Amino acid sequence: MQIKHTPTSFLARTFFFAALFLIMCVVLSLARSREAGRFPPLSVHANRPVESLTISLSDYGAVGDGLTDDGPALQGALDALWDAGGGTLYVPAGHYAINTPVNKDFTGQGASIMIHGEPSTSPPLFGGNGEELNLSADFIIGVGETGEALRLKGLDALLIEDITFSGVPGASTDALITLSLSDINDATIHRCEFYGLASLVADGAIVQATNSDLKIDGAAFLGCTTSSALQASIVQNILWRGVSVSNSKFIDYGNRPGLYSKTVQAPPYSWIAINNAAPRNNLSTRREALIRHVILDEGALMGVTCVPSTPVDLLFIYDLQMNVSNLGAFGVYVDNVKDLFIDKSLFGWSHNAGAAILIGAVDEAILSSVECIAGADRISVSQSTRQLTVINSTYNRLDSSAQETNVLTTTDDDDPVRYLNRQYVALLERLPDPAAQMFWTSRLAACRNHVECLAPLKTGLDDYLRTTPPANFSIVGQVVDNEGTGIEGVTLNLGGLQQVLTTMTDADGNFLFTGLPTSGRYSLTPSQTYFTYAPSQTSFEIVSGDQTALFYATLVHNISGRITQSNGPTVRGVAVNLTGSRAATAVTDINGDYSFVNLPADGSYTVTPSRSGYYYQQPSMTFDGLHGDQIADFTETISINGGIVDEAGHGLSGVNLILSGSANLTTTTDADGNYSFTGLSEFSGYSYTVAPFKASYSFNPLTKTITHQDAGSKTLNFTAMPHLTYSISGKLTDGVNGLGGLNVNLNGSSV
């Protein structure tokens, strides 16, 4: 690390800076970033709180002499705002020593507050230098390394405006965190200065926002530092809901005699750190970080870091003018981001930069009109990036291992970014919102100047813009039953974002998603057990305003069951037929299970199992309306069937059949000679024998037997043969005359 900022090195550095950085940054920033004067300046217009109470810090005992501890006075003023449910705190001109940490939690109040001093009477030219904002209200921070100087929590809106936060000369750590903001829906820091502040301890920062939507506009951070060894940054965003830094500068020195800078102690890890985002929900659907019209000096290890553990939706950088450090690191370091867009930005000055831009895992990155010069002339992209598009940019080395890399060199008329900007300004009189810039540039660039691709796309863009679309829209809707009554507790899944978002219908069946970019594609799907929906899914593509969605829900239930053999084992491969209000066929799985799902509850259904050679104790089950999920189990048995015919092939009725072996049963053939034994148990080792009988008949075969080894048909047929009869006649005589009255006996097989 270079040791700088002694008065001598400061003067030399000032000349160098004026010759190089101001020429590159200020002139280009003023001349180029406004697109020939047609683009309106980007600034934050804070939601100013309802001024139900206006108080002055001096009313609570503040002295403002730079020596007296005015921390208790500031605490008292904030307590008064809490009692009033919000309001405005005016800070008169003075130097207010904050040696006692100030902490106020407004959770549950729904409060909005404003803390402001007097605006500067002579605001400086906002260039890349250490010139101050000349504000009259100054908080001098001296709470030490364990305290948070000013901690505010639980506000609906916060505006801090025209206040300077200054460090104490010679102090290595002025506060653990100078300004700590937590759980604030809209936190805005406007025209504030942070001068000569240091936090060289773990978890330190100058400004830290947690679970908040932070906006910094028109601010100057001069000669402030944290510890790069502890990965502590100047502006730290943790579990953030939104980040916006605009029209601001981060310079590693200031002009105050005796306190030029504290970066000589250590460089910050980065000027702006964008860490893990807060979880999304239906009322806070996206996580975007925006950096616009910002100047970064070389005093930090890196300028901007965005390395969350879970992906954010978009990092958008426009008109960033940066001196990259000489510490072998990077100007912008991005990893784990869905979309990255860097436009009209300049990286330079460095003599020992690892890269101007380092991109890790990014789904799609677009670099447009980026200049990487003067030692910071390398762009590095890892193979974890899916797609990289570089448009009309200047660099010495593009080291890209992205899965797809496209480099476009076009005229200004064909530049997709410039074309998109012109269309927005012409039709809407504004620049594209960041999500729209990413969405449309990606599609225009993909056409690569092919007219057949660009023509319909440009027509679609113009049609969209002529609807005067807002940047964001909401989807409001309801889920109702067939009678129009809202259904509570239905889950709605919204796709098309970085992650699928869910919400549930309220007691009236209503739901809401808000904050969705109109330039996008989304799918909405309802889901709840026992219901089907019409439509099953609704899509929204490039919409022009708020959308409504109505889903009709039909109550549904399931019919399921299991097929088992009579002695217990389950049966795989049985076809089960569903008839009635809906027709379907299922086949039992390895466990003998089957199911029919999402059946309208008001239907009538019959379930019938079927397997060749088998019979079921209950052949079918019928359900007239489903009052819940239904179970239809079946027990499979053996049926032995057959027929008995005579020698001519005609069925023989009245034949008795005797079943013996594993069961003892009898039956008789019907008029067609058919018979059956049903409900027979199937188990290992079974054996059944069938024997027919009828007077005056013999049968072929005499009996038939089946066992568990017979996997085929259980059909046993017999042929009946009638008995043949003969007559024996003769005459008994005494030799001459016949003899009567004598008994004649026949002995043998028949009597």
Side-chain angles (χ1 to χ4, degrees), residues 15 66 89 214 232 269 278 286 289 352 380 439 471 509 595 653 685 693 705-706:
F15 286 115
L89 172 61
L214 175 66
Y269 182 69
R286 278 178 65 84
N352 183 34
S380 178
F439 181 88
S595 64
S653 64
F693 171 78
T705 299
I706 61 170

Side-chain angles (χ1 to χ4, degrees), residues 141 143-149 171-178 197-208 224-234 236 238 262 265-270:
I141 306 303
V143 300
E145 64 182 27
T146 62
E148 297 179 354
S172 61
T173 292
D174 300 286
L176 174 66
I177 300 172
T178 296
L197 292 157
S199 177
L200 300 181
V201 292
D203 302 318
I206 305 305
V207 175
Q208 179 168 294
C224 297
T225 195
T226 52
S227 173
S228 60
L230 299 172
Q231 294 192 346
S233 297
I234 299 297
Q236 194 107 275
I238 300 172
K262 290 188 176 178
Q265 300 176 122
Y269 182 69
S270 63

Side-chain angles (χ1 to χ4, degrees), residues 326-641:
N326 285 318
L327 302 176
F330 318 105
V332 173
Y333 173 29
V334 182
D335 189 34
N336 213 8
V337 171
K338 181 179 183 294
D339 292 327
L340 169 66
F341 188 93
I342 304 178
D343 184 33
K344 276 193 173 295
S345 295
L346 176 64
F347 299 84
W349 189 84
S350 178
H351 305 290
N352 183 34
I357 303 170
L358 175 64
I359 301 175
V362 172
D363 183 64
E364 182 173 5
I366 297 176
L367 310 181
S368 168
S369 299
V370 172
E371 294 185 58
C372 303
I373 59 176
D377 56 2
R378 175 174 174 258
I379 299 170
S380 178
V381 184
S382 83
Q383 61 184 1
S384 299
T385 290
R386 181 185 63 83
Q387 180 175 313
L388 170 69
T389 301
V390 182
I391 306 170
N392 296 330
S393 295
T394 301
Y395 47 84
N396 183 44
R397 292 171 56 192
L398 175 59
D399 296 332
S400 176
S401 300
Q403 298 163 37
E404 179 181 347
T405 299
N406 300 307
V407 177
L408 304 181
T409 302
T410 71
T411 64
D412 186 69
D413 289 341
D414 294 328
D415 185 312
V417 178
R418 308 283 81 81
Y419 173 82
L420 181 64
N421 289 349
R422 288 194 297 269
Q423 294 305 103
Y424 260 82
V425 170
L427 296 176
L428 297 183
E429 298 183 348
R430 67 172 174 87
L431 284 170
D433 54 279
Q437 185 82 73
M438 186 73 199
F439 181 88
W440 289 103
T441 299
S442 173
R443 283 150 182 79
L444 290 166
C447 288
R448 301 183 66 87
N449 295 328
H450 296 309
V451 175
E452 64 277 10
C453 174
L454 284 170
L457 184 60
K458 290 181 175 180
T459 299
L461 170 62
D462 287 352
D463 291 343
Y464 164 70
L465 295 179
R466 288 191 178 96
T467 66
T468 316
N472 298 302
F473 77 106
S474 298
I475 300 174
V476 295
Q478 188 180 30
V479 180
V480 299
D481 61 21
N482 292 333
E483 296 180 354
T485 303
I487 301 175
E488 182 179 7
V490 178
T491 298
L492 281 302
N493 299 303
L494 183 67
L497 298 163
Q498 170 59 32
Q499 65 184 57
V500 175
L501 297 182
T502 63
T503 190
M504 298 183 72
T505 55
D506 63 15
D508 297 317
N510 298 318
F511 65 88
L512 168 68
F513 291 93
T514 191
L516 304 168
T518 53
S519 297
R521 295 188 171 99
Y522 312 93
S523 62
L524 183 62
T525 308
S527 173
Q528 188 191 35
T529 305
Y530 304 133
F531 287 94
T532 58
Y533 302 90
S536 60
Q537 185 180 84
T538 297
S539 298
F540 305 92
E541 296 188 6
I542 316 175
V543 302
S544 58
D546 290 346
Q547 302 292 303
T548 59
L550 180 62
F551 294 95
Y552 291 93
T554 300
L555 185 64
V556 294
H557 292 293
N558 304 332
I559 298 175
S560 60
R562 176 173 291 181
I563 309 295
T564 59
Q565 296 176 352
S566 57
N567 62 321
T570 59
V571 185
R572 179 181 185 180
V574 178
V576 184
N577 297 310
L578 179 73
T579 57
S581 299
R582 182 171 293 178
T585 299
V587 178
T588 57
D589 62 17
I590 192 172
N591 297 312
D593 296 328
Y594 73 93
S595 64
F596 300 103
V597 300
N598 294 332
L599 302 175
D602 57 356
S604 179
Y605 308 94
T606 297
V607 181
T608 306
S610 175
R611 187 159 77 112
S612 177
Y614 293 88
Y615 174 82
Y616 297 89
Q617 287 182 349
Q618 186 174 358
S620 64
M621 293 188 191
T622 297
F623 302 92
D624 189 10
L626 303 178
H627 302 288
D629 287 349
Q630 301 296 321
I631 301 297
D633 292 337
F634 295 90
T635 300
E636 188 177 82
T637 61
I638 297 173
S639 61
I640 298 176
N641 307 287

Side-chain angles (χ1 to χ4, degrees), residues 124-210:
L125 177 67
F126 206 83
N129 54 50
E131 188 174 0
E132 300 176 46
L133 300 186
N134 298 320
L135 299 171
S136 61
D138 183 12
F139 287 163
I140 302 174
I141 306 303
V143 300
E145 64 182 27
T146 62
E148 297 179 354
L150 177 56
R151 185 174 191 270
L152 298 171
K153 181 179 180 181
L155 287 161
D156 183 54
L158 168 68
L159 173 60
I160 300 177
E161 190 171 57
D162 299 317
I163 301 287
T164 292
F165 296 82
S166 298
V168 176
S172 61
T173 292
D174 300 286
L176 174 66
I177 300 172
T178 296
L179 181 57
S180 177
L181 310 175
S182 179
D183 304 313
I184 300 177
N185 293 330
D186 186 352
T188 301
I189 301 170
H190 188 221
R191 287 199 312 263
C192 288
E193 179 176 286
F194 299 83
Y195 190 102
L197 292 157
S199 177
L200 300 181
V201 292
D203 302 318
I206 305 305
V207 175
Q208 179 168 294
T210 303

Side-chain angles (χ1 to χ4, degrees), residues 42-261:
L42 296 174
S43 63
V44 175
H45 300 284
N47 294 325
R48 294 177 179 266
V50 177
E51 297 184 5
S52 56
L53 175 69
T54 299
I55 58 177
S56 172
L57 185 60
S58 60
D59 295 337
Y60 294 84
V63 177
D65 61 3
L67 299 174
T68 304
D69 183 6
D70 289 321
L74 180 56
Q75 184 69 61
L78 292 174
D79 291 342
L81 293 180
W82 188 93
D83 291 338
T88 299
L89 172 61
Y90 169 64
V91 182
H95 300 281
Y96 301 91
I98 307 299
N99 299 327
T100 302
V102 178
N103 183 351
K104 196 62 189 176
D105 186 348
F106 291 84
T107 301
Q109 288 269 44
S112 298
I113 69 170
M114 175 180 179
I115 304 172
H116 75 95
E118 288 293 336
S120 174
T121 57
S122 56
L125 177 67
F126 206 83
N129 54 50
E131 188 174 0
E132 300 176 46
L133 300 186
N134 298 320
L135 299 171
S136 61
D138 183 12
F139 287 163
I140 302 174
I141 306 303
V143 300
E145 64 182 27
T146 62
E148 297 179 354
L150 177 56
R151 185 174 191 270
L152 298 171
K153 181 179 180 181
L155 287 161
D156 183 54
L158 168 68
L159 173 60
I160 300 177
E161 190 171 57
D162 299 317
I163 301 287
T164 292
F165 296 82
S166 298
V168 176
S172 61
T173 292
D174 300 286
L176 174 66
I177 300 172
T178 296
L179 181 57
S180 177
L181 310 175
S182 179
D183 304 313
I184 300 177
N185 293 330
D186 186 352
T188 301
I189 301 170
H190 188 221
R191 287 199 312 263
C192 288
E193 179 176 286
F194 299 83
Y195 190 102
L197 292 157
S199 177
L200 300 181
V201 292
D203 302 318
I206 305 305
V207 175
Q208 179 168 294
T210 303
N211 194 32
S212 300
D213 187 345
L214 175 66
K215 302 177 182 68
I216 297 176
D217 179 66
F221 291 79
L222 306 176
C224 297
T225 195
T226 52
S227 173
S228 60
L230 299 172
Q231 294 192 346
S233 297
I234 299 297
V235 176
Q236 194 107 275
N237 294 276
I238 300 172
L239 294 177
W240 53 275
R241 287 181 260 162
V243 177
S244 175
V245 182
S246 59
N247 305 308
S248 297
K249 63 180 179 180
F250 294 73
I251 307 299
D252 57 5
Y253 71 98
N255 294 328
R256 293 186 190 181
L259 181 56
Y260 293 104
S261 176

